[in-house]
Amino acid sequence: MPRPTNKSDLLALSQKNYESLLALIEQIPLEQQSAPFEYNERDKTLRDVLVHLYEWQVLLLRFVRTNLEKTSDFVPILHSIFYSLPCNFVFFDRIWVWK
């Protein structure tokens, strides 16, 4: 599918990709969905990955909203190394507190 060129195409593609993600997750047996990954990285389970994705989306939406409203000079430093961003530690704390 070509890149979206307007808002309605972008929303349609976003919805299609979201449904594809849910379908992919549903194919994974429930035991494996909550099982820890075999490697020792920041994200320990599928839930951790999804929460991290959600938190980054919230960060992006806040960035766009505050800049459109001119209520803040908030600019995420996206070129930084991912682990060095303080928000990652906040995300990580939220993920493991929810257990």
Side-chain angles (χ1 to χ4, degrees):
M1 178 179 225
R3 284 187 154 180
T5 57
N6 57 50
K7 184 177 179 178
S8 61
D9 290 347
L10 179 63
L11 290 173
L13 182 61
S14 296
Q15 184 64 34
K16 179 182 174 209
N17 288 337
Y18 178 72
E19 290 167 2
S20 296
L21 176 63
L22 291 181
L24 181 66
I25 292 169
E26 288 174 0
Q27 291 176 357
I28 302 171
L30 288 176
E31 308 84 45
Q32 288 183 336
Q33 287 183 18
S34 59
F37 295 145
E38 294 182 9
Y39 55 86
N40 190 18
E41 294 291 331
R42 179 201 63 238
D43 296 325
K44 309 288 185 213
T45 64
L46 176 61
R47 181 194 65 191
D48 297 349
V49 173
L50 295 175
V51 169
H52 227 104
L53 175 61
Y54 167 79
E55 292 290 349
W56 274 102
Q57 289 173 338
V58 168
L59 180 72
L60 175 64
L61 290 173
R62 188 177 71 197
F63 167 70
V64 171
R65 183 182 63 248
T66 59
N67 283 297
L68 288 174
E69 295 171 351
K70 306 277 190 241
T71 57
S72 173
D73 292 331
F74 171 71
V75 178
I77 304 170
L78 299 178
H79 65 277
S80 294
I81 297 174
F82 192 72
Y83 284 104
S84 69
L85 294 175
C87 58
N88 282 308
F89 296 106
V90 173
F91 298 167
F92 186 77
D93 288 342
R94 285 184 194 169
I95 290 168
W96 290 103
V97 167
W98 291 349
K99 276 193 166 184

